[in-house]
Amino acid sequence: MNDYDPAAFPPFAVTVDLVVLTIRDDVLHTLNVRRGEEPFRGRDALPGGFVRPDEDLPDAAARELREETGLRRVPGHLEQLATYGSPGRDPRMRVVSVAYLALAPDLPDPRGGGDAAAASWVPVADALRPGRLAFDHRRILADGLERARAKLEYSPLATAFCPPVFTIGELRRVYEIVWSADLDPRNFHRKVTGTPGFLVETGERTTRGGGRPAQLYRRGDATLLNPLLLRP
Amino acid sequence: MNDYDPAAFPPFAVTVDLVVLTIRDDVLHTLNVRRGEEPFRGRDALPGGFVRPDEDLPDAAARELREETGLRRVPGHLEQLATYGSPGRDPRMRVVSVAYLALAPDLPDPRGGGDAAAASWVPVADALRPGRLAFDHRRILADGLERARAKLEYSPLATAFCPPVFTIGELRRVYEIVWSADLDPRNFHRKVTGTPGFLVETGERTTRGGGRPAQLYRRGDATLLNPLLLRP
DNA sequence: CCAATAGTGTCTTTCAGACACTATATA
DNA sequence: TATATAGTGTCTGAAAGACACTATTGG
């Protein structure tokens, strides 16, 4: 069973689907598209589409993300999540879908090319309601959300939700929103400033918040947090 | 770009590939098959094969594992690893391969059905030598190995390498071999016996080792270790 | 006896979490 | 002034790692 037989192989359609997460107005949102055709006409779905014959999988995911957001370069983070291929997951044919997880800072409203007119940001809690998403996309979204939550513990990925320069209070709000948990601002400050490579001081301060002006930081070059920032 | 077009989609071959890890004679081994055909004739490869038209992905992985080991039920653990689909990864055609990671206790030598005659256990260090594995299988094996190493930290997965009943010394040897690190036997003992749900006492003792007889344990029902067992 | 492995106790350092307190802005 | 957020210091308890010590087998 090891060798491929180029003459006769069962044909599959291969697509990429995207779990895109961002934070708008202190609420975690995901990017959905409204389906205009059967099956699941009128329901929402994750953005995605066919992989082209000569296109690499990450390229296909990045292309779909650009098309749906209307941005030429989408800032943030993109990684493979998992692959879903149950025989019945698309009633029309056998589709194997490679899901990608994208984290982005607050983006403008979806606009522009392709079917992006039907795209919109939806609070994750709404998108997760049973029956809201088409196909098995609710499960894919749940898996992506759990992956994001877990990675905040051991990677500096929370900065993917932030603009290039941010305060520690803004970073903390990312953790609180993604984890749905309150964190002690003082302990959080001590922890993230003490983790080597996580943050780089810019020397600038801001006063966009209410009280005392805060230091501004940029993302550091660490890829793994040590010590870990565990969920409460 | 969201909707699938059932009439015209680019056809892909979809396969599963397996990173099977086990411990034999205190060395981490992986299951390889010798290729009998071009391309890469005579080189080793990960076991794998086509997904059947009506077969779920995990079922395909489990089936390949059974076929290659010759066992009707393979004990241990099986999980999806990642999906590899670069356009050039198979010179003959476009193949998207869903890789699975399997961890198993020491199994008999590969025997039996299908192409399993060409299957063998290879020390991981050998299999990872550049040029040894066909296609991009070296990368897949490296990814699987790293996944296994990481999961030992936060899951009770090390027990998948052990027989149903085992001593703490045997469990520690699993950690030491997978991590290529020495662990303090006394601290290790205190840590694993103090982690709720990790181990269940059987009340039995054994004397298979040299010195003082050891308690025998079974795997507990924890799915996550708390506190974590971090690599040194 | 010695060698080998199992298992317990104890000490030091590090880190998480709770929280008092100070600093600096706006209203 | 009050209020809000930023940031520091300090305490307590949990856990990691180093390692002394005891326990129980076989040779």
Side-chain angles (χ1 to χ4, degrees), chain A residues 1-6 9-15 17 33 35 37 46 48-57 63-64 67 80 82-83 85-87 90 92-94 98 115 135 228, chain B residues 1-6 9-15 17 33 35 37 46 48-57 63-64 67 80 82-83 85-87 90 92-94 98 115 135 228:
Chain A
M1 285 294 113
N2 177 57
D3 280 349
Y4 316 132
D5 176 357
F9 62 90
F12 287 72
V14 175
T15 65
D17 284 326
V33 295
R35 287 186 57 78
E37 302 179 9
L46 300 180
F50 287 114
V51 178
R52 296 177 177 166
D54 287 309
E55 186 179 43
D56 204 351
L57 300 177
R63 172 178 56 76
E64 292 288 344
E67 289 175 358
Q80 193 183 112
T83 296
S86 299
D90 187 313
R92 293 161 298 177
M93 59 182 174
R94 185 69 194 266
V98 185
D115 319 75
F135 304 108
L228 304 172
Chain B
M1 284 293 114
N2 177 56
D3 280 350
Y4 315 133
D5 175 357
F9 62 89
F12 287 72
V14 175
T15 64
D17 284 326
V33 295
R35 286 186 57 77
E37 303 180 8
L46 300 180
F50 288 113
V51 178
R52 296 178 177 165
D54 287 308
E55 186 179 44
D56 204 351
L57 300 177
R63 171 178 56 77
E64 292 288 345
E67 288 174 359
Q80 193 183 110
T83 297
S86 299
D90 188 313
R92 292 161 297 177
M93 59 180 174
R94 185 68 194 268
V98 184
D115 319 76
F135 305 108
L228 303 172

Side-chain angles (χ1 to χ4, degrees), chain B residues 65 69 71-78 102-108 160 162 164:
Chain B
L65 185 53
T69 59
L71 297 178
R72 293 217 308 184
R73 258 194 58 77
V74 183
H77 170 86
L78 183 67
L103 310 182
D106 193 0
L107 299 176
C162 296

Side-chain angles (χ1 to χ4, degrees), chain B residues 140-215:
Chain B
I140 299 176
L141 173 59
D143 290 349
L145 186 58
E146 176 50 32
R147 169 81 66 93
R149 285 181 172 143
K151 287 200 87 159
L152 292 204
E153 292 190 320
Y154 60 87
S155 82
L157 219 58
T159 57
F161 287 110
C162 296
V165 159
F166 51 88
T167 69
I168 290 183
E170 289 162 354
L171 183 65
R172 175 171 47 83
R173 228 156 295 137
V174 169
Y175 276 90
E176 291 179 329
I177 291 164
V178 175
W179 283 349
S180 304
D182 289 333
L183 302 178
D184 185 295
R186 301 157 294 185
N187 292 334
F188 183 85
H189 188 282
R190 199 166 16 79
K191 269 154 68 155
V192 297
T193 52
T195 300
F198 195 178
L199 301 178
V200 178
E201 293 190 36
T202 64
E204 308 289 311
R205 325 187 124 262
T206 185
T207 173
R208 32 179 186 254
R212 165 177 170 180
Q215 278 267 8

